[in-house]
Amino acid sequence: MQRILLLTALAMVMSTIQAKTIYVATDGNDDAAGTIDAPMATLPAAYKKISNGDTICFRGGTYHVTDEQVMKTDNTYAYVFALEKAGTATKRTCIMGYPGERPIFDFSALQLDGAHRFSAFYLGANYLHLRNFDIVGLPVRIKGHTQSECVSARKGSHCIVENIAMHDGMAIGYYQTAGSDNLVLNCDAYNNYDAYSEGEYGGNVDGFGIHVQKTTETGNVIRYCRAWRNSDDGFDLINNKAPAEFDHCWAFYNGYRPTDDVKNTTTFQSAGDGNGFKAGGYGMSAGTTKCPEVCPQNYVHHCVAYRNKAHGLYSNHHLGGCRWEYNSSWYNRSNYNMVNRKSNEEAVDVPGYGHILKNNVSFTFTDSSKGGHLINCDAAQCTIENNTFAPAETAVTVTADMFVSTDPATLFAPRDADGNLPEMTFLRGKEGSLLAQRQMGWAWVGTDDTAIHTLPDVNHHYDSPFYSLNGIPVPSNALEKGIYIQQGRKFVVK
């Protein structure tokens, strides 16, 4: 009966258009047929058997990746799993964990010649879908300023990276330099620290980064993702040339070294930069910059930044304004730092201009070493409405009793089998509080943008387009009392 249920669940996540599925297991054999009863052993061998739009499904367990499995190299990178067989909008090429099981890919044994950066999963084609597995132990083997990447989006568009945990390695979690309309959904990046390439600094290991180089590469979204204890930044958009979006994401404890206990809330040993959300910027060199003619307006909304070593939400010397709406920030060096660069020609910091700040919450302590609410912002050149910190005439003094929870341990809540988080309570405004009355902070649905967007085809089959406020699909016949979103509109069930 259990096997029948699992096979039924697997059928639900496959495309309705018939596609071949190759199975892989830790006790498989690469000479096997690749059926569920005769699985193969490695991804490269299974990849040779699939065509565009097919699926490779991994059973649970740990897969130890070796140098012999590297599928592609160039002068700079070793692309361990080079995924270059495109799918379509209705039949994606999918690499996934078996429903109800959790595969783990361990890359710690990789060595090669010590002269290559590593890309664990390379998105090299359109309409790819990664789903439901862990990436651990990805190393860095080069001295000097370098990096490795767990998921490298360097070519493909319309790809989905879903329910992937990237942790306990030396690499960036998700790193995108090209492609449009890619969705990163329900992923975690944590405990990543490069103590090798530049000594113990670890200054090039972010959780998530979008850095596309064409102004036409739009529509990239990171949604419902968490980044913590990455030795550099949590979420990074430096040198990004097209607008990108961070939606319902959590950044905490970035800029610190990992700990043996991934839920540690008390130990802090400094490492790299440590910003929660770095939403832009092109450097501060006096010469030419990489800024496009029209600077992109990035969108950060319904996000939480807590106790990052540097700034919570940070414009990073951007050459234009970004949108910051319905965010909550606490116990960072500053909670909102809107500093901009004066111009392409002048590498001078100036108070931020062109930013839109609406419905944001800033919570802080009296200790001056932590927490300025809003710094480096020219209010006359920005749109600032209904934040706890500004405009001054409507500001709110935020106290701990306004929140459902201020316990950071709740940030580590486990995801369910589909990658969804339970209802998050950290910095959620209590019902009846001023935060609730004025709909400030990450937990509120906006009047202009619900922040719950229809997902592209991710091989799910839901019987209704209703979503909870956490973005979880709810069948129409299962709606209970509460607030739901359907096609961008709010519905209240009483």
Side-chain angles (χ1 to χ4, degrees):
M1 175 62 74
Q2 183 179 16
R3 183 178 174 188
I4 293 173
L5 291 173
L6 288 171
L7 289 173
T8 301
L10 181 60
M12 292 177 66
V13 299
M14 297 301 175
S15 171
T16 55
I17 298 177
Q18 185 174 5
K20 179 169 60 181
T21 300
I22 299 296
Y23 294 88
V24 182
T26 56
D27 59 352
N29 188 315
D30 279 344
D31 293 326
T35 65
I36 192 168
D37 295 314
M40 303 184 75
T42 67
L43 191 154
Y47 199 72
K48 293 176 181 178
K49 285 184 173 288
I50 68 168
S51 301
N52 295 38
D54 290 340
T55 292
I56 301 176
C57 185
F58 286 82
R59 303 302 302 267
T62 300
Y63 295 82
H64 297 280
V65 183
T66 62
D67 288 355
E68 291 72 28
Q69 294 181 44
V70 175
M71 295 169 64
K72 177 180 177 178
T73 62
D74 60 23
N75 291 334
T76 304
Y77 274 89
Y79 304 101
V80 185
F81 299 144
L83 309 179
E84 299 178 299
K85 295 178 181 180
T88 67
T90 56
K91 189 171 72 169
R92 297 177 182 276
T93 303
C94 185
I95 309 296
M96 65 174 291
Y98 192 80
E101 300 177 4
R102 186 76 177 184
I104 299 171
F105 294 91
D106 185 347
F107 293 85
S108 58
L110 289 177
Q111 295 287 338
L112 285 186
D113 52 9
H116 284 83
R117 299 179 174 190
F118 291 111
S119 166
F121 286 82
Y122 166 66
L123 305 184
N126 296 336
Y127 293 106
L128 305 179
H129 189 180
L130 306 183
R131 186 171 189 269
N132 182 32
F133 54 82
D134 282 34
I135 301 170
V136 304
L138 189 65
V140 170
R141 303 297 187 198
I142 304 174
K143 288 291 187 180
H145 190 69
T146 186
Q147 66 190 54
S148 291
E149 302 144 21
C150 294
V151 178
S152 304
R154 292 184 169 273
K155 186 175 181 181
S157 295
H158 311 288
C159 296
I160 299 169
V161 178
E162 180 188 7
N163 193 17
I164 308 297
M166 302 159 283
H167 58 98
D168 295 289
M170 304 171 75
I172 297 168
Y174 175 85
Y175 187 83
Q176 181 176 348
T177 59
S180 302
D181 300 309
N182 290 324
L183 173 66
V184 184
L185 176 69
N186 288 342
C187 293
D188 290 331
Y190 60 91
N191 264 25
N192 296 304
Y193 169 51
D194 171 13
Y196 178 76
S197 64
E198 295 178 303
E200 298 183 355
Y201 180 55
N204 206 30
V205 184
D206 300 323
F208 299 84
I210 298 177
H211 316 279
V212 299
Q213 295 302 294
K214 295 180 181 179
T215 59
T216 55
E217 292 175 321
T218 59
N220 296 303
V221 180
I222 297 179
R223 178 171 292 139
Y224 289 100
C225 294
R226 294 182 295 187
W228 74 92
R229 286 200 183 273
N230 299 290
S231 59
D232 205 43
D233 300 313
F235 297 81
D236 193 350
L237 295 175
I238 192 171
N239 294 325
N240 188 53
K241 295 185 178 180
E245 180 180 357
F246 296 145
D247 171 12
H248 279 83
C249 293
W250 287 262
F252 48 104
Y253 302 150
N254 294 293
Y256 298 106
R257 298 185 193 183
T259 57
D260 292 335
D261 176 9
V262 297
K263 298 182 179 180
N264 187 308
T265 63
T266 59
T267 305
F268 301 98
Q269 189 172 3
S270 179
D273 287 354
N275 297 287
F277 297 89
K278 182 186 287 183
Y282 301 92
M284 289 296 289
S285 63
T288 59
T289 71
K290 299 178 181 179
C291 181
E293 184 175 344
V294 177
C295 190
Q297 183 187 67
N298 298 308
Y299 186 25
V300 181
H301 62 103
H302 295 86
C303 293
V304 173
Y306 171 69
R307 201 165 183 175
N308 299 286
K309 189 181 76 173
H311 309 289
L313 295 102
Y314 179 41
S315 61
N316 190 39
H317 323 282
H318 206 45
L319 280 156
C322 294
R323 290 175 62 193
W324 316 83
E325 298 178 350
Y326 295 95
N327 301 296
S328 299
S329 190
W330 178 27
Y331 204 5
N332 306 284
R333 183 188 302 167
S334 71
N335 286 337
Y336 298 83
N337 184 346
M338 298 292 104
V339 67
N340 281 19
R341 175 170 169 160
K342 186 175 182 180
S343 66
N344 258 322
E345 295 72 31
E346 297 180 84
V348 177
D349 281 341
V350 295
Y353 51 84
H355 295 292
I356 299 171
L357 295 104
K358 295 182 179 181
N359 300 85
N360 299 294
V361 167
S362 178
F363 183 37
T364 188
F365 294 114
T366 57
D367 178 0
S368 61
S369 66
K370 285 286 184 183
H373 290 299
L374 174 66
I375 66 172
N376 298 321
C377 184
D378 185 343
Q381 296 192 66
C382 296
T383 300
I384 303 178
E385 299 175 1
N386 196 42
N387 307 284
T388 61
F389 47 83
E393 59 272 18
T394 59
V396 175
T397 300
V398 181
T399 58
D401 60 6
M402 291 181 175
F403 300 109
V404 176
S405 173
T406 56
D407 180 3
T410 61
L411 290 167
F412 303 104
R415 297 180 182 272
D416 67 17
D418 289 325
N420 300 307
L421 289 168
E423 182 175 332
M424 301 293 280
T425 59
F426 186 73
L427 298 190
R428 177 186 288 271
K430 282 183 181 177
E431 185 175 350
S433 70
L434 277 175
L435 304 182
Q437 293 172 26
R438 291 173 53 180
Q439 296 203 351
M440 296 172 163
W442 74 267
W444 307 106
V445 177
T447 55
D448 298 325
D449 191 323
T450 67
I452 309 295
H453 305 284
T454 302
L455 294 177
D457 172 26
V458 293
N459 298 337
H460 284 204
H461 295 266
Y462 303 127
D463 65 355
S464 170
F466 285 92
Y467 291 83
S468 72
L469 294 185
N470 266 356
I472 300 172
V474 181
S476 57
N477 61 3
L479 295 178
E480 299 178 351
K481 291 183 179 180
I483 301 174
Y484 300 90
I485 305 301
Q486 183 190 51
Q487 295 182 348
R489 297 180 62 190
K490 181 168 69 174
F491 290 83
V492 180
V493 178
K494 298 182 178 179

